[in-house]
């Protein structure tokens, strides 16, 4: 079965950058669309970014457009989230998710079948 392991979170200051990684195993990575979601304290889990199986299509929440970049390496079986110009509002646990083939809506968490354990990102002002 699919396993997802996130890494790269940490404590940074506003304006700093972080790159999250999510290692995929258990199935053929290139058959899976991938997404990043986040849950801030006391809030619902929100969509951040997603990428198609081949990496040719990417999707972003309005709140991160222009600051975050999602990418994937289908040789290393890894999806990345490059986060630049971080803001305190980006503080959350970030989760990687996968979905076999393509979801109908990349931004809906119910479309994804597999989830990682999450990695904490804390941005201080």
């Amino acid at each position: 079965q699919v396993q997802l392991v996130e890494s790269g979170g940490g404590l940074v200051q506003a304006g700093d950058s972080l790159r999250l990684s999510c290692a995929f195993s258990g199935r053929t990575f290139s058959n899976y669309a991938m997404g990043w979601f986040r849950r801030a304290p006391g809030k619902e889990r929100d969509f951040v970014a997603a990428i198609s199986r081949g990496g040719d299509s990417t999707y972003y929440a309005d709140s991160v457009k222009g600051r975050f970049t999602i990418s994937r390496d289908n040789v290393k079986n890894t999806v990345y989230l490059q986060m630049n110009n971080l803001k305190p509002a980006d503080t959350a646990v970030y989760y990687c998710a996968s979905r076999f083939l393509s979801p109908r809506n990349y931004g809906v968490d119910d479309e994804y079948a597999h989830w990682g354990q999450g990695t904490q990102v804390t941005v201080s002002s």
Side-chain angles (χ1 to χ4, degrees), residues 7-125:
S7 61
L11 171 63
V12 297
Q13 293 187 328
D16 286 351
S17 298
L18 274 177
R19 188 176 81 156
L20 305 183
S21 300
C22 173
F24 176 103
S25 63
R27 290 291 185 269
T28 302
F29 182 55
S30 59
N31 287 340
Y32 286 77
M34 301 297 296
W36 285 97
F37 291 76
R38 67 187 181 187
R39 188 193 299 273
K43 296 188 176 181
E44 298 288 315
R45 184 167 59 191
D46 288 333
F47 169 71
V48 176
I51 189 166
S52 60
R53 289 176 288 152
D56 50 316
S57 297
T58 56
Y59 309 85
Y60 295 95
D62 287 343
S63 59
V64 307
K65 276 181 185 175
R67 299 188 299 122
F68 290 12
T69 303
I70 188 171
S71 62
R72 65 188 295 158
D73 186 330
N74 283 356
V75 173
K76 295 183 178 179
N77 293 349
T78 302
V79 62
Y80 304 97
L81 185 68
Q82 177 66 43
M83 305 186 294
N84 297 331
N85 190 23
L86 282 159
K87 304 176 180 180
D90 296 318
T91 295
V93 177
Y94 283 71
Y95 298 92
C96 170
S98 68
R99 155 71 187 238
F100 182 65
L101 299 181
S102 302
R104 287 168 294 181
N105 186 328
Y106 279 84
V108 175
D109 56 1
D110 285 350
E111 294 276 359
Y112 295 83
H114 310 103
W115 294 83
Q117 81 289 350
T119 185
Q120 176 71 47
V121 172
T122 303
V123 185
S124 64
S125 56

